[in-house]
Amino acid sequence: MDARLREGISLFNDGRFFESHEVLEAFYQETDPVNKPFLEGLIQLAAAFRIFCDFGEVKGPVRMIRQALIRCENYQPAFLQVRVGAEAAPHSSTIPKIQLQRFSFFS
């Protein structure tokens, strides 16, 4: 996994959404075009949660989260070692974490 992607996810999971957005955006600028739609989804998530947490807005972030989920749904169950899908994030009342894919040597 690219170190910038790992850092962006770590920042997101620490609730540092602005910093996560910045790191993911920098990685997006230099990545292969095939990765860009997925990264756009992660960037949208970081931006949405920043707007929600820092400014208390709801309507815009909800729309952004919906768009990000639609953008990422074609990458299930995992892409770039990031888990994607309903099983990726348990339901709770807190902001979800982005989970990395666990590797197994056995099928």
Side-chain angles (χ1 to χ4, degrees):
M1 170 180 284
D2 188 279
R4 295 165 295 183
L5 178 57
R6 185 177 298 278
E7 180 184 6
I9 290 170
S10 178
L11 290 165
F12 182 96
N13 290 342
D14 288 342
R16 297 175 57 195
F17 303 114
F18 177 78
E19 293 90 342
S20 173
H21 178 277
E22 295 297 307
V23 170
L24 292 172
E25 183 73 31
F27 178 49
Y28 173 88
Q29 297 299 326
E30 299 176 9
T31 194
D32 189 289
V34 73
N35 299 335
K36 289 191 176 202
F38 179 75
L39 290 171
E40 289 167 358
L42 295 182
I43 292 165
Q44 279 183 306
L45 287 175
F49 284 112
R50 176 176 188 248
I51 293 167
F52 174 74
C53 291
D54 292 352
F55 303 106
E57 293 188 31
V58 176
K59 188 176 182 179
V62 167
R63 187 177 68 250
M64 292 171 73
I65 290 167
R66 183 172 185 270
Q67 291 171 343
L69 293 175
I70 290 168
R71 196 178 294 273
C72 292
E73 73 183 349
N74 292 328
Y75 296 94
Q76 295 183 43
F79 187 73
L80 297 176
Q81 300 178 0
V82 176
R83 291 177 59 193
V84 181
E87 71 283 348
H91 299 285
S92 70
S93 61
T94 62
I95 295 173
K97 305 289 185 197
I98 298 173
Q99 297 181 4
L100 301 180
Q101 180 182 21
R102 299 189 188 274
F103 289 97
S104 173
F105 291 105
F106 305 103
S107 297

